[in-house]
């Protein structure tokens, strides 16, 4: 790829902006190459990217000064053993934090830029019942503790990603509508920044979108260009990858698959409508059928994994009511999955959250129902797959969102302070 020169209108200010923008793009290009290829020499980078060698040397000097790369040794190339100093992505001092707030828990996943996991935990919390103010205080408390852990590990926080089950205005960092949390028009990024006392910027996105990105980059269907991820929580969201890119839609609100109407005579959903898919396959629906005495709303909400462990125990004991409830969820999972296959023709539907935990019992009836109902029949070649990321997929994806922000603009690290909550809506 040949080096491009900035084209700007006449005038020193405009030209300076053009040069700064091009420099950021070239810094990002070099960092992405190192992330994908590992250690290599400056001349290797120049050959691979099409940048001039002098340009690469200049960019590398800046990346070294910002602590984003490190020199890892000398390679000898050619018959005369010409030495070349190799460099590699570093970022061990740069921390990123992914968080998720859901109906019954708050989760955090903190890493450094090199991918080393520094903090990971989930705290049971009744966000559905506590309302936005107390929920944001709890999210802020858990996030502050995690940020302290990152700092103690020597990683300065570069940003915080937040995953939320609902419609998110990514550019504003605001939750437009989260039906299962009862939130509307909540400026989450600004509110959370106030809770943690400023510092690292906050970015917000839909939980299913972020989980889908985590699966696409490092999950059971990694690299599959056409796939759907289903959250498997109290609410059911979908992250849709088409031709290797996240499908957001005209306003960024795509993926609300849990609110597909599948039963006009069914139960009322948290969104206010009747017969939504999540009223058939969401965790609250399964708990209500399998263990009605422990249904959501009848007492303090335990961690979702505790509820799933109880369901799994009933399956292991051959409890007829639990077995019938799980099989029914499997059938409805296949019915909704067939709609998604007819619409998007994915190669895989990845099951996250509790779907993954109970996949051994859910997938057989779901796959059978999907193959019975999908219009293309066996030609669709779509399989249900169980995620290996569990309930942590969305917080992992939220951390990855911050990593991408750093890679896209390396000038936010080091000598230049982080100053904005740049939107990732165009990714």
């Amino acid at each position: 790829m040949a080096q491009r020169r900035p084209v700007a209108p006449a005038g020193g200010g405009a030209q300076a902006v053009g040069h700064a923008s091009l420099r950021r793009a070239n810094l990002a290009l070099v960092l992405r190459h190192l992330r994908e290829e590992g250690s290599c020499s400056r001349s290797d980078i120049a050959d691979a990217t099409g940048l001039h060698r002098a340009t690469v040397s200049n960019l590398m000097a800046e990346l070294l000064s910002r602590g984003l790369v490190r020199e890892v040794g000398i390679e000898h190339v050619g018959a005369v053993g010409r030495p070349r100093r190799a460099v590699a992505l570093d970022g061990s001092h740069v921390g990123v934090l992914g968080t998720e707030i859901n109906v019954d828990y708050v989760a955090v996943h903190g890493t450094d830029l090199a991918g080393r996991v520094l903090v990971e935990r989930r705290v049971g919390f009744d966000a559905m019942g506590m309302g936005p103010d107390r929920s944001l205080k709890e999210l802020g408390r858990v996030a502050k503790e995690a940020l302290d852990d990152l700092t103690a590990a020597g990683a300065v926080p570069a940003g915080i990603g937040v995953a939320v089950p609902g419609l998110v205005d990514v550019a504003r960092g605001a939750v437009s509508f989260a039906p299962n949390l009862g939130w509307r028009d909540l400026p989450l990024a600004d509110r959370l920044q106030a809770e943690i006392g400023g510092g690292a910027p906050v970015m917000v996105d839909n939980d299913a979108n972020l989980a889908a990105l985590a699966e696409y980059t490092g999950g059971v269907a990694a690299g599959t260009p056409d796939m759907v991820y289903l959250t498997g929580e109290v609410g059911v969201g979908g992250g849709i990858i088409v031709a290797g890119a996240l499908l957001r839609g005209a306003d960024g609100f795509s993926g609300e698959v849990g609110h597909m109407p599948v039963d006009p005579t069914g139960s009322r959903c948290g969104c206010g409508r009747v017969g939504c898919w999540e009223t058939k396959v969401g965790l609250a629906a399964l708990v209500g059928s399998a263990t009605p005495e422990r249904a959501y709303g009848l007492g303090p909400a335990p961690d979702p994994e505790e509820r799933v462990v109880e369901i799994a125990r009933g399956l292991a004991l051959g409890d007829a009511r639990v077995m019938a409830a799980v099989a029914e969820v499997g059938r409805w999972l296949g019915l909704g999955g067939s709609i998604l296959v007819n619409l998007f023709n994915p190669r895989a539907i990845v099951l996250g959250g509790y779907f993954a935990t109970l996949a051994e019992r859910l997938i057989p009836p779901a796959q059978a129902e999907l193959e019975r109902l999908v219009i293309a029949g066996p030609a669709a070649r779509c399989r249900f797959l169980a995620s290996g990321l569990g309930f942590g997929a969305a917080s992992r994806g939220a951390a990855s969102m911050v990593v991408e922000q750093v890679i896209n603009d390396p000038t936010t690290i080091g000598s230049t302070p982080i100053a904005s909550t740049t939107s990732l809506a165009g990714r």
Side-chain angles (χ1 to χ4, degrees):
M1 179 178 61
Q3 184 184 21
R4 292 177 298 134
R5 299 296 181 189
V7 177
Q15 190 171 15
V17 170
H19 280 296
S21 177
L22 179 59
R23 186 171 186 81
R24 282 195 300 271
N26 286 341
L27 288 166
L29 179 63
V30 170
L31 277 186
R32 286 195 197 95
H33 180 76
L34 288 173
R35 182 172 62 173
E36 293 168 5
E37 300 299 329
S39 64
C40 51
S41 70
R42 290 164 175 78
S43 59
D44 289 336
I45 295 170
D47 291 341
T49 62
L51 297 171
H52 295 314
R53 296 193 179 194
T55 301
V56 171
S57 293
N58 187 275
L59 295 170
M60 197 59 63
E62 179 170 345
L63 292 172
L64 283 165
S65 72
R66 293 181 184 277
L68 293 171
V69 301
R70 57 192 173 89
E71 294 185 323
V72 295
I74 295 177
E75 300 174 346
H76 291 274
V77 180
V80 296
R82 179 166 51 88
R84 301 192 306 190
R85 188 172 295 277
V87 292
L89 183 68
D90 187 1
S92 58
H93 75 290
V94 179
V96 300
L97 182 65
T99 69
E100 178 189 7
I101 184 161
N102 217 303
V103 169
D104 42 15
Y105 66 88
V106 173
V108 293
H109 178 85
T111 74
D112 61 20
L113 198 61
R116 185 169 51 116
V117 178
L118 303 176
V119 56
E120 188 166 46
R121 67 175 67 101
R122 190 174 63 250
V123 179
F125 179 74
D126 183 14
M128 182 191 295
M130 291 298 180
D133 292 340
R134 282 185 288 180
S135 294
L136 281 171
K137 286 190 178 299
E138 178 67 5
L139 177 61
R141 182 189 70 80
V142 175
K144 280 192 286 188
E145 288 184 357
L147 291 171
D148 289 343
D149 290 341
L150 287 178
T151 302
V156 178
I160 303 170
V162 186
V164 182
L167 304 178
V168 175
D169 183 335
V170 177
R172 293 193 303 118
V175 179
S176 300
F177 181 39
N180 289 315
L181 297 177
W183 297 358
R184 284 185 182 273
D185 301 320
L186 181 70
L188 195 153
D190 291 342
R191 292 281 299 275
L192 181 59
Q193 197 121 44
E195 286 291 333
I196 62 177
V202 177
M203 293 163 274
V204 186
D205 206 336
N206 171 266
D207 62 336
N209 284 345
L210 293 174
L213 289 171
E215 286 290 345
Y216 179 67
T217 56
V220 68
T224 302
D226 296 276
M227 58 170 277
V228 174
Y229 174 88
L230 300 177
T231 55
E233 308 273 355
V234 169
V236 176
I240 302 163
I241 304 290
V242 176
L246 183 66
L247 179 67
R248 289 187 176 275
D251 299 302
F253 296 159
S254 69
E256 290 298 320
V257 299
H259 300 290
M260 296 188 301
V262 296
D263 183 4
T265 63
S267 304
R268 187 165 296 279
C269 179
C271 72
R273 296 166 179 81
V274 171
C276 293
W277 191 29
E278 73 178 40
T279 68
K280 301 295 186 181
V281 301
L283 182 56
L286 175 60
V287 170
S289 297
T291 56
E293 66 282 357
R294 300 289 305 280
Y296 278 82
L298 296 183
D303 184 276
E305 283 195 338
E306 294 178 27
R307 291 191 181 274
V308 179
V309 166
E310 186 176 5
I311 300 293
R313 188 180 301 119
L315 290 171
L317 294 173
D319 185 308
R321 183 174 64 183
V322 173
M323 293 175 69
V326 171
E328 184 70 1
V329 167
R331 285 191 290 272
W332 281 105
L333 199 55
L335 184 149
S338 72
I339 297 173
L340 299 177
V341 172
N342 286 338
L343 284 174
F344 302 112
N345 186 207
R347 186 63 69 234
I349 299 176
V350 180
L351 302 178
Y354 97 84
F355 293 150
T357 308
L358 302 180
E360 184 177 344
R361 296 297 188 106
L362 288 172
I363 286 180
Q367 190 70 42
E369 192 72 353
L370 182 147
E371 291 175 3
R372 184 178 74 84
L373 295 174
V374 70
I375 191 67
R381 293 185 295 144
C382 180
R383 306 292 299 176
F384 284 101
L385 300 173
S387 169
L389 301 181
F391 284 93
S395 56
R396 284 175 180 262
S400 296
M401 174 171 64
V402 182
V403 171
E404 286 301 313
Q405 168 65 16
V406 173
I407 296 292
N408 287 340
D409 187 1
T411 64
T412 59
I413 303 300
S415 57
T416 303
I418 300 168
S420 66
T421 57
T422 302
S423 164
L424 297 184
R427 284 193 346 182

